[in-house]
Amino acid sequence: MKDYIEQLKKDFPEMYVDPYCGVGYGVGWHDLIYKLSKYIYGFREFGVNVKVIQIKQKFRTLRYYIDAEFKKHKVWDETTQQHYLNDINGAIGFAEYLSGFICEECGSPGSEKRAGAGWITTLCDECHGKIKREEVRAEIEWAKKHKDLKKFIK
């Protein structure tokens, strides 16, 4: 598993308990996800236990799915619970929004780009160029390996 995901599991063990939960994203978003996790982890002090269900990129932005559990606490009541959940969901929404302006590969300012088979993602110009060059190289290699297929293409 990637080192930066292992760091999340080490620093926030109660949030990242399932080793098979869907945690996958480019290293460029790690700082954003780490800070979000740290903020959410702070709510444990008030009896809010959050488990991460999935972290991924979809339609160029971060998706961060959680499951929240509330334990009895000295400040526990239904209204307070809802406020905590609103705070957590607001932070998640803000991080998801910000991810649309951060290159998923390197963390530099980024914007919407098409990469690999039409995927929409957030990349800086430099990372987008690298990915495009890798795609071209892969297509050339494929064509070299399958040059005998030309007879079937008209």
Side-chain angles (χ1 to χ4, degrees):
M1 183 149 299
K2 297 177 180 170
D3 289 343
Y4 57 91
I5 295 172
E6 289 299 324
Q7 182 186 16
L8 291 173
K9 291 180 178 187
K10 179 180 168 273
D11 293 351
F12 313 107
E14 292 87 358
M15 286 178 66
Y16 296 92
V17 291
D18 183 358
Y20 302 106
C21 73
V23 178
Y25 57 89
V27 71
W29 285 352
H30 181 68
D31 191 47
L32 177 67
I33 291 167
Y34 190 90
K35 287 176 181 174
L36 175 63
S37 298
K38 186 175 182 179
Y39 175 77
I40 293 171
Y41 196 74
F43 283 91
R44 293 184 62 73
E45 171 183 342
F46 304 107
V48 181
N49 294 329
V50 172
K51 290 185 175 46
V52 174
I53 304 301
Q54 186 177 44
I55 302 174
K56 64 180 183 177
Q57 182 269 109
K58 185 172 185 177
F59 300 120
R60 91 177 184 93
T61 59
L62 172 69
R63 297 294 187 268
Y64 191 96
Y65 302 108
I66 62 166
D67 185 23
E69 174 185 271
F70 296 92
K71 300 212 176 210
K72 292 269 184 188
H73 188 269
K74 61 184 174 192
V75 294
W76 184 84
D77 64 51
E78 196 171 312
T79 304
T80 306
Q81 264 187 352
Q82 192 58 52
H83 284 297
Y84 291 151
L85 198 53
N86 289 345
D87 287 348
I88 291 168
N89 285 328
I92 291 170
F94 187 57
E96 290 176 343
Y97 169 77
L98 288 176
S99 70
F101 304 97
I102 300 170
C103 176
E104 188 179 0
E105 294 299 315
C106 72
S108 296
S111 61
E112 180 179 316
K113 302 281 193 290
R114 292 208 178 258
W119 288 103
I120 301 169
T121 187
T122 302
L123 296 168
C124 65
D125 291 337
E126 185 176 335
C127 288
H128 185 247
K130 285 179 191 174
I131 289 171
K132 289 307 238 182
R133 286 189 296 279
E134 288 170 11
E135 288 173 2
V136 168
R137 271 195 292 277
E139 287 173 9
I140 290 169
E141 287 302 313
W142 187 90
K144 285 178 182 176
K145 288 179 184 176
H146 300 89
K147 59 185 168 192
D148 59 321
L149 294 176
K150 285 184 180 179
K151 62 185 173 190
F152 298 106
I153 302 171
K154 291 190 177 195

